[in-house]
């Protein structure tokens, strides 16, 4: 079984990078949760981002936990990529996924209990989530006859990568339309960025030690996860510190705002000064 390190310092570096990524990504959920709690409001946090994120982390948990704990899936992985290849999922990956699902679910709970203004989950994101889970369910039945478990978890991995690609987009556009990042925690982004960089570093260290880059294309989900996260984190950092630094949000008038304005005008028309 190919699970031996050639260099002890490389193994230590791998573990250090892995746990830095774990703590960075895990702690990254808290600044937004704390911000929501302090403001008793979720205005400025895009709900689509949270809903898509929950599906992303749920499917990633299924992939990580299955590949880490299932000997049958590990056997299929080595049959496909080579008997000397290390399993590309570490304990910190599984621990992170469990924590991520719980914290994202809690953030969704905050959306239900705190002030949210006119914001709501879009039909597009609900449709994306419905399609993703429906596709996963169909693939389960396709995998059953031939016990194609490695293929099945790769489907879940593909879903999580797809969710990672699309989940940031609503928040990025929301910041752009509001010309502000108020209500969206930059602490979350800075920690997410650190996690992405160290996660990528962890994979590179393993590949250098093993003299093989199978680690990257054998776990393409983890590779793309890091690159996509880093790209969007840099975009949010630019939005927060450069484009919209210290700016209050610009709200577009909604129908309810127009109704309130009309009723206010009617009230002022019937004031004592007007009647006199």
């Amino acid at each position: 079984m190919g699970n031996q390190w050639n260099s002890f310092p490389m193994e230590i570096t791998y573990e250090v990078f892995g746990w830095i990524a774990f703590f960075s990504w895990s702690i990254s959920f808290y600044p937004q949760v704390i911000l929501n709690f302090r403001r008793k409001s979720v205005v400025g946090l895009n709900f689509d981002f949270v809903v898509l994120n929950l599906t992303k982390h749920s499917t990633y948990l299924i992939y990580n936990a299955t590949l880490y704990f299932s000997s049958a899936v590990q056997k299929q992985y080595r049959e496909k990529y080579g008997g000397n290849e290390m399993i590309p999922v570490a304990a910190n990956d599984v621990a992170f996924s469990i924590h991520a699902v719980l914290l994202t679910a809690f953030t969704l709970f905050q959306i239900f209990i705190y002030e949210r203004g006119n914001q709501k989950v879009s039909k597009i994101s609900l449709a994306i989530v419905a399609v993703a889970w429906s596709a996963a369910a169909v693939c389960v039945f396709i995998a059953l006859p031939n016990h194609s478990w490695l293929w099945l978890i790769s489907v879940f991995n593909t879903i999580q990568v797809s969710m990672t690609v699309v989940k940031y987009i609503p928040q990025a556009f929301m910041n752009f339309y509001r010309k502000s990042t108020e209500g969206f925690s930059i602490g979350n982004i800075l920690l997410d960025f650190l996690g992405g960089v160290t996660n990528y570093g962890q994979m590179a260290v393993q590949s250098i030690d093993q003299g093989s880059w199978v680690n990257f294309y054998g776990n393409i989900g983890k590779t793309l996860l890091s690159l996509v996260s880093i790209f969007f984190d840099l975009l949010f950092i630019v939005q927060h510190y450069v484009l919209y630094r210290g700016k209050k949000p610009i709200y577009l008038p909604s129908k309810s705002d127009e109704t309130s304005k009309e009723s206010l005008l009617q009230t002022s028309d019937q004031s004592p000064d007007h009647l006199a």
Side-chain angles (χ1 to χ4, degrees):
M1 292 190 49
N3 56 0
Q4 299 299 314
W5 285 87
N6 296 315
S7 165
F8 182 68
M10 283 289 194
E11 182 179 5
I12 295 300
T13 305
Y14 174 87
E15 292 294 335
V16 170
F17 275 173
W19 287 106
I20 289 175
F22 166 71
F23 283 112
S24 298
W25 272 342
S26 296
I27 297 169
S28 74
F29 291 93
Y30 289 94
Q32 187 67 58
V33 168
I34 293 168
L35 183 64
N36 296 342
F37 174 75
R38 284 179 176 168
R39 297 168 71 227
K40 296 294 186 289
S41 169
V42 288
V43 175
L45 171 64
N46 191 280
F47 300 168
D48 292 351
F49 172 78
V50 180
V51 169
L52 294 169
N53 213 17
L54 184 58
T55 294
K56 173 256 186 310
H57 287 303
S58 298
T59 50
Y60 197 37
L61 172 59
I62 292 169
Y63 171 80
N64 281 334
T66 307
L67 188 52
Y68 186 77
F69 289 110
S70 172
S71 56
V73 176
Q74 290 176 2
K75 182 172 179 287
Q76 290 180 13
Y77 180 88
R78 291 197 172 99
E79 285 173 356
K80 181 174 181 178
Y81 295 108
N84 293 322
E85 293 299 330
M86 295 177 71
I87 297 302
V89 173
N92 62 272
D93 294 317
V94 181
F96 163 74
S97 291
I98 293 170
H99 183 265
V101 169
L102 293 174
L103 265 291
T104 307
F106 184 75
T107 306
L108 192 61
F109 171 70
Q110 287 186 314
I111 287 174
F112 283 103
I113 64 172
Y114 292 145
E115 191 236 327
R116 53 186 180 270
N118 295 324
Q119 292 177 207
K120 58 184 179 180
V121 179
S122 73
K123 291 179 181 177
I124 293 175
S125 69
L126 291 175
I128 290 172
V129 167
V131 168
W133 286 109
S134 298
V138 170
C139 289
V140 168
F141 288 104
I142 293 174
L144 278 173
N146 298 319
H147 301 287
S148 308
W149 307 131
L150 181 64
W151 172 79
L152 180 60
I153 66 165
S154 73
V155 169
F156 281 98
N157 203 18
T158 301
I159 291 172
Q160 77 89 7
V161 170
S162 302
M163 291 295 152
T164 301
V165 172
V166 300
K167 74 172 186 175
Y168 293 104
I169 296 173
Q171 185 70 57
F173 273 105
M174 186 174 176
N175 293 346
F176 171 74
Y177 283 121
R178 297 169 80 232
K179 297 293 184 288
S180 172
T181 55
E182 187 177 280
F184 181 61
S185 174
I186 193 63
N188 165 26
I189 296 305
L190 295 174
L191 288 164
D192 190 55
F193 178 72
L194 177 60
V197 171
T198 50
N199 183 52
Y200 203 77
Q202 185 188 34
M203 296 176 71
V205 165
Q206 181 174 328
S207 295
I208 292 167
D209 178 83
Q210 299 290 297
S212 166
W213 296 96
V214 169
N215 182 38
F216 280 88
Y217 59 82
N219 190 359
I220 193 67
K222 193 172 181 180
T223 306
L224 291 177
L225 169 67
S226 296
L227 293 176
V228 171
S229 297
I230 288 169
F231 170 79
F232 276 101
D233 288 339
L234 287 172
L235 174 63
F236 288 129
I237 288 168
V238 170
Q239 284 185 324
H240 185 81
Y241 290 110
V242 181
L243 299 178
Y244 315 131
R245 184 180 179 88
K247 291 184 179 179
K248 292 292 181 182
I250 298 171
Y251 289 102
L252 296 174
S254 64
K255 289 183 179 179
S256 60
D257 293 333
E258 293 297 331
T259 305
S260 300
K261 192 185 293 181
E262 287 174 13
S263 61
L264 186 64
L265 286 171
Q266 288 172 1
T267 305
S268 64
D269 287 344
Q270 295 173 3
S271 64
D273 292 337
H274 174 74
L275 294 172

